[in-house]
Amino acid sequence: MKTNRKQSLLTILFVGATMTTPLVAQDLAMALKDVEAERYTKAEQTLTQLATSSPSADNQFYLGYYYLKSGQPDKAKAAFEKGAAADPKDQLNNVGLAGVALMKKDRSTAKTLIDEAVAKTKSKNQDVLIRAAEMYTLSEETNDPAEAIRLLTIADEKDKKNENPEIEMTMGDAFFLKNDGGNAITKYENAMAIKPNLAEANYKIGRLYLRGKNYTKAQEYFNKAIETDPQFSPTYLALADALANSRAYKGASTNYEKYVQTSGTTDPEQLLDIARYKFLAQDYEGAITYLDQLKGKVNNPIIDRMYGWANTALGKNQEAVQSLSKFISEAPQKVIYDDYKYLGRAYGKLGTPEGDSLSIVNLEKAAPLDTTDNLYREIAKTYYDSKKYDKAADYYAKTIKNDKKPLNNDYLFKGLANYQQGFRVGRDTTAAPMDTAQVRQGRELYFLRADSAFAEMAQQVEKTAGETYPLAYYYRAQSNYYAYPSAISLAYGTAVPLYEKFIEMANAETDAAKKQSYLKNLITSYKFLASYNLAKKNDEKAKEYFNKILELDPNDADVKKALEGPTTTPSKPAAKAPAKKKTAGK
């Protein structure tokens, strides 16, 4: 009777064990897959439960392995020490402790532990050999790919049937660290030959191309990995990187979000990265949505930077100024030129004199370092819009000097700024008083600078757009006329060929709308040429120009009066500055 009861108990225990063991093995396999896929929260739950319910050497090792892979070496050490104590003969936990030592940059202790583990297992335990090799590939600073390859070669000799893809994968990782991309790819492909549709292998091949900056090829392999296993989260992170480097920021932010979704990560730095990609993709509201998730969870001043950048783009300028000012004052060591750029832009849009002033101060700090935007152009425009034409002229000159491909409008507004300033010389109540000679010299300086800028603009338009820009010659003519007293301008006639060139080009224009836009400029040009010829006593030629004006404007009272008495001089060319809207094509 007792024998039967004992047999029944053994049967129950045995059946229980056979029913439970596959479930535990399945849980462990899934947990290890979660570790490789960086689903760390899920992996921790499973492995902690396994180690708690059955604190065996193996379960403690895999819990420690999770901690090691997720960057928690102190917790890993505690788990490995429990595992080593649970079974002193089991060497996997000593291999794990070697991994901890490598993470802490203690190469000597790590080598001693691994060498002892391999020796005690007589170089026959494949798991010990593979995990020991893996430990030599985990740390960026204390890796030893050559030693990893040596251990894996021994393990490979034990793999008579060539059934273990992990040997090939780890070998590929070692070659990756050696910058031997060819052999790394071969090993990853060998792993896929053993285990077809291995997402991790395609992911790691893609990572090699990513490191080589072949972003198109990298994306090809990452997409293969995703097609094979949509839940292997590291692929989305790497694909986001490849897309970002291809300036496909929308796709980058989308894939980064998929990484967060599939990995379940709550890492604030990674959520912050998504906000960055959202910003680059011009999804500013999306960026702020992720930033809002970090409130109260992390004390990182970078968040203020991102709020500032995003709010600047959204036109929430007061909020942007507050966030960026706070960031710059609290984290000066982290400040980059972009911070000053966005702060300058936000100040500039406040619409106040103080805002304009602080805008320029901050843009000035960013301008010398910014290789993306020519901030001197923004400073110049701020000065132009506030009618500080002398400073605008200086900054348009800086714009052109600091741009590999200046815009045609840079030359145009450099000319216009100098032209406008020419009229302000001696009339600007904010400037120091000037005598007659100083006024004359100042006017000459700015108008001749304007002439040079308009000449450069004409050349630029012809070179870059393959077309002519008649108004450049008109502005040059006006500049030459106003550079000197009227009597001198009429006597020497330096503006004559420029007016004539404008007239020739304007009359040759075939576009009706453009031709109509030149009407007032043509009238001014003809009036100057009529005045010039009257000064030269060439009344017939003057009359010819008067009649051309009447063809354009039959009601011009000045011209009618001039024709009544040939010696009467009509009004000189208009002193009014050309309209700002007349801009050259870019």
Side-chain angles (χ1 to χ4, degrees), residues 540-567:
E540 287 302 315
K541 193 68 176 176
K543 185 176 181 180
E544 181 182 328
Y545 285 118
F546 288 147
N547 286 324
K548 288 182 180 294
I549 295 169
L550 291 177
E551 289 174 12
L552 299 174
D553 183 6
N555 299 315
D556 192 302
D558 286 337
V559 172
K560 287 182 176 180
K561 187 176 180 181
L563 288 173
E564 291 173 2
T567 58

Side-chain angles (χ1 to χ4, degrees), residues 560-581:
K560 287 182 176 180
K561 187 176 180 181
L563 288 173
E564 291 173 2
T567 58
T568 304
T569 304
S571 58
K572 57 188 178 183
K576 187 177 180 181
K580 180 182 172 184
K581 294 181 181 178

Side-chain angles (χ1 to χ4, degrees), residues 276-533:
R276 289 189 181 101
Y277 281 132
K278 290 284 187 184
F279 177 84
L280 290 170
Q282 299 183 350
D283 180 3
Y284 308 118
E285 294 286 3
I288 288 176
T289 297
Y290 274 94
L291 292 172
D292 287 344
Q293 293 178 37
L294 299 174
K295 284 183 177 179
K297 296 180 181 178
V298 59
N299 182 22
N300 187 336
I302 299 297
I303 293 174
D304 289 315
R305 165 191 281 163
M306 293 304 298
Y307 269 121
W309 289 10
N311 279 319
T312 301
L314 288 170
K316 297 177 180 179
N317 299 301
Q318 192 61 58
E319 293 92 329
V321 166
Q322 290 172 355
S323 295
L324 286 169
S325 297
K326 181 183 176 186
F327 170 72
I328 290 170
S329 65
E330 293 183 357
Q333 74 282 3
K334 294 181 181 290
V335 174
I336 59 175
Y337 69 86
D338 272 341
D339 299 317
Y340 292 117
K341 175 167 71 174
Y342 290 112
L343 180 56
R345 287 175 174 172
Y347 267 126
K349 292 176 182 176
L350 292 179
T352 64
E354 182 185 12
D356 288 346
S357 177
L358 289 171
S359 171
I360 291 168
V361 168
N362 284 282
L363 291 175
E364 274 275 21
K365 293 178 182 178
L369 298 173
D370 196 322
T371 57
T372 304
D373 297 319
N374 191 329
L375 298 180
Y376 292 114
R377 184 178 292 119
E378 295 185 30
I379 297 171
K381 185 178 185 302
T382 300
Y383 277 129
Y384 192 97
D385 290 346
S386 59
K387 298 183 179 181
K388 296 178 181 177
Y389 299 118
D390 53 343
K391 292 185 179 296
D394 290 342
Y395 276 92
Y396 276 118
K398 284 187 178 182
T399 301
I400 293 166
K401 182 180 178 181
N402 289 277
D403 205 312
K404 291 180 180 179
K405 294 182 179 179
L407 304 178
N408 295 332
N409 277 349
D410 294 334
Y411 294 97
L412 173 62
F413 281 102
K414 178 186 173 185
L416 288 174
N418 279 291
Y419 185 87
Q420 301 275 26
Q421 185 61 27
F423 292 112
R424 293 174 70 96
V425 173
R427 299 178 182 176
D428 191 341
T429 56
T430 63
M434 303 171 71
D435 60 29
T436 303
Q438 289 174 323
V439 170
R440 184 175 295 179
Q441 289 173 356
R443 286 171 62 88
E444 181 179 336
L445 173 68
Y446 281 107
F447 282 121
L448 291 183
R449 282 181 180 175
D451 174 44
S452 296
F454 292 134
E456 288 177 305
M457 185 194 69
Q459 292 174 355
Q460 280 295 112
V461 172
E462 289 169 11
K463 182 171 69 174
T464 60
E467 59 186 41
T468 59
Y469 190 64
L471 285 174
Y473 294 94
Y474 171 79
Y475 295 153
R476 287 194 65 196
Q478 290 282 91
S479 299
N480 273 272
Y481 175 81
Y482 287 112
Y484 310 102
S486 179
I488 295 175
S489 293
L490 290 172
Y492 287 97
T494 54
V496 171
L498 297 167
Y499 280 122
E500 289 176 339
K501 181 68 173 177
F502 164 68
I503 291 168
E504 175 191 340
M505 296 172 74
N507 285 329
E509 179 59 63
T510 56
D511 184 293
K514 283 186 179 180
K515 194 162 188 173
Q516 179 62 29
S517 71
Y518 299 145
L519 182 63
K520 290 183 179 179
N521 309 110
L522 279 169
I523 290 172
T524 299
S525 301
Y526 286 136
K527 283 185 176 181
F528 170 81
L529 292 174
S531 298
Y532 173 73
N533 280 282

Side-chain angles (χ1 to χ4, degrees), residues 111 114-115 129 132-133 136 144-153 174:
K111 183 171 178 13
I114 287 176
D115 288 349
L129 291 167
Y136 279 124
D144 190 341
E147 186 62 12
I149 290 170
R150 185 186 73 79
L151 292 168
L152 290 165
T153 301

Side-chain angles (χ1 to χ4, degrees), residues 165-178:
E166 198 166 3
I167 294 174
E168 301 295 331
M169 288 297 296
T170 311
M171 191 86 80
D173 294 345
F175 280 116
F176 181 94
L177 290 171
K178 284 170 68 75

Side-chain angles (χ1 to χ4, degrees), residues 19-73:
M19 290 177 67
T20 304
T21 300
L23 180 61
V24 172
Q26 183 180 356
D27 286 348
L28 179 60
M30 190 63 234
L32 291 176
K33 191 173 181 181
D34 287 336
V35 171
E36 294 306 319
E38 298 183 11
R39 293 188 289 270
Y40 292 132
T41 302
K42 187 178 177 185
E44 182 179 17
Q45 290 173 348
T46 303
L47 292 170
T48 301
Q49 186 177 0
L50 286 171
T52 302
S53 61
S54 178
S56 65
D58 277 355
N59 285 344
Q60 289 297 336
F61 169 76
Y62 288 114
L63 178 60
Y65 178 75
Y66 150 72
Y67 283 129
L68 200 60
K69 292 277 282 187
S70 61
Q72 304 176 76

